[in-house]
């Protein structure tokens, strides 16, 4: 049971480039989400999904796209990278429900030059 | 709107002393409250949660948290701190108006000195 996995661990992009951050979980969780972590700001929700084919925006969705074609995978796409998207990105998953514990991946550190 | 506040950016404690990391919240309805810990260059690890029931919640690594409804607080505590407890601690509340999203505080850096 690998839990939540994320790739890559670290990535450097130039402004305007696009890329996809991968997230996968093997716990059959319905709920998956993407957060970004910036110093002094905690974690902020980018997008989330409550099941395959269902996604919605979080607090800071601009510049990011998501899709959920399977229960296991929830990729995050940066359409045209900007320096403001330099951050650490975390994927999380849980069973669906208000009291369920979210499990986090190890994170992807992104630097946009 | 739901929110959570961690009033201290950093807490310094001597090893062996008790520690408290503070968290206050604002929610409509019954709160679902969580504590997570983040070690350097790692993801977040779940420590404990309060959903309902006993106001004192026990979690991993000897941590506990006390839910206080009148003070809208959910402080994290440990009777005797270890150097290995040094990390970044996040309090979070479930957004009751959403599908279950978490709203995080800004985090408190705990430093335990020998």
């Amino acid at each position: 049971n690998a839990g939540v996995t994320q790739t890559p661990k670290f990535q450097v992009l130039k402004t305007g480039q696009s890329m996809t951050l991968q997230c996968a979980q093997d716990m059959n969780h319905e709920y998956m989400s993407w957060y970004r972590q910036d110093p002094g700001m905690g974690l902020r929700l980018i997008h989330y999904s409550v099941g395959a084919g269902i996604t919605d925006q979080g607090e800071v969705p601009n510049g990011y796209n998501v899709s959920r074609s399977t229960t296991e995978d929830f990729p995050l796409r940066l359409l045209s990278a900007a320096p403001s998207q330099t951050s650490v990105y975390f994927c999380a998953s849980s069973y669906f429900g208000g009291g369920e514990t979210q499990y986090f991946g190890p994170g992807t550190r992104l630097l946009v030059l | 709107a739901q929110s959570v506040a961690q009033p201290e950016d950093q807490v310094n404690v001597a090893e062996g002393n008790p520690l408290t990391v503070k968290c206050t919240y604002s929610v409509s309805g019954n709160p679902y409250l969580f504590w997570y810990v983040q070690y350097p260059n790692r993801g977040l690890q779940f420590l404990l949660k309060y959903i309902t029931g006993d106001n004192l919640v026990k979690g991993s690594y000897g941590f506990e948290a006390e839910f206080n409804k009148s003070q809208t607080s959910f402080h994290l505590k440990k009777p005797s701190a270890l150097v290995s407890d040094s990390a970044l601690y996040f309090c979070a509340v479930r957004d009751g108006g959403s599908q279950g999203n978490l709203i995080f505080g800004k985090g408190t850096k705990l430093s335990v000195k020998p």
Side-chain angles (χ1 to χ4, degrees):
Chain A
N1 191 332
V4 181
T5 58
Q6 292 183 237
T7 57
K9 290 185 178 180
F10 179 70
Q11 183 72 46
V12 179
L13 290 180
K14 294 181 179 179
T15 297
Q17 287 185 316
S18 63
M19 78 162 293
T20 299
L21 282 64
Q22 301 291 345
C23 173
Q25 53 90 12
D26 61 358
M27 297 173 280
N28 202 31
H29 287 163
E30 305 95 337
Y31 178 92
M32 297 186 73
S33 56
W34 277 101
Y35 296 87
R36 60 177 288 173
Q37 182 181 21
D38 301 292
M41 301 189 72
L43 279 77
R44 293 180 292 169
L45 183 66
I46 304 172
H47 286 284
Y48 66 97
S49 168
V50 298
I54 306 170
T55 64
D56 206 346
Q57 296 180 350
E59 179 186 357
V60 288
N62 292 341
Y64 308 95
N65 272 358
V66 292
S67 59
R68 183 102 178 264
S69 56
T70 67
T71 299
E72 294 78 18
D73 301 298
F74 190 45
L76 178 72
R77 297 182 185 85
L78 279 69
L79 309 174
S80 177
S84 60
Q85 294 179 304
T86 293
S87 187
V88 182
Y89 292 84
F90 289 101
C91 179
S93 74
S94 72
Y95 292 112
F96 182 68
E100 296 296 336
T101 299
Q102 289 194 22
Y103 296 89
F104 284 78
T108 294
R109 188 174 297 272
L110 177 67
L111 175 61
V112 183
L113 302 175
Chain B
Q2 273 69 222
S3 65
V4 61
Q6 294 180 244
E8 301 154 319
D9 292 335
Q10 180 155 346
V11 171
N12 299 312
V13 178
E15 187 175 31
N17 283 0
L19 70 88
T20 299
V21 182
K22 296 179 180 178
C23 173
T24 59
Y25 65 89
S26 175
V27 300
S28 55
N30 293 324
Y32 292 167
L33 297 157
F34 300 78
W35 275 103
Y36 284 84
V37 59
Q38 184 181 32
Y39 298 101
N41 301 313
R42 303 287 295 276
L44 275 71
Q45 296 180 28
F46 169 75
L47 277 179
L48 51 80
K49 66 181 177 183
Y50 172 83
I51 306 299
T52 187
D54 195 349
N55 289 343
L56 185 63
V57 180
K58 294 188 181 298
S60 305
Y61 313 122
F63 283 93
E64 58 189 25
E66 186 172 8
F67 171 69
N68 188 317
K69 188 173 183 178
S70 63
Q71 297 186 4
T72 61
S73 66
F74 189 55
H75 300 331
L76 181 69
K77 301 180 180 183
K78 188 174 182 181
S80 179
L82 299 172
V83 172
S84 58
D85 293 330
S86 299
L88 188 57
Y89 291 80
F90 290 98
C91 182
V93 63
R94 183 76 76 176
D95 184 351
S98 77
Q99 305 287 344
N101 301 323
L102 287 177
I103 299 171
F104 283 88
K106 294 184 177 181
T108 298
K109 183 179 180 181
L110 174 66
S111 178
V112 182
K113 301 293 186 184

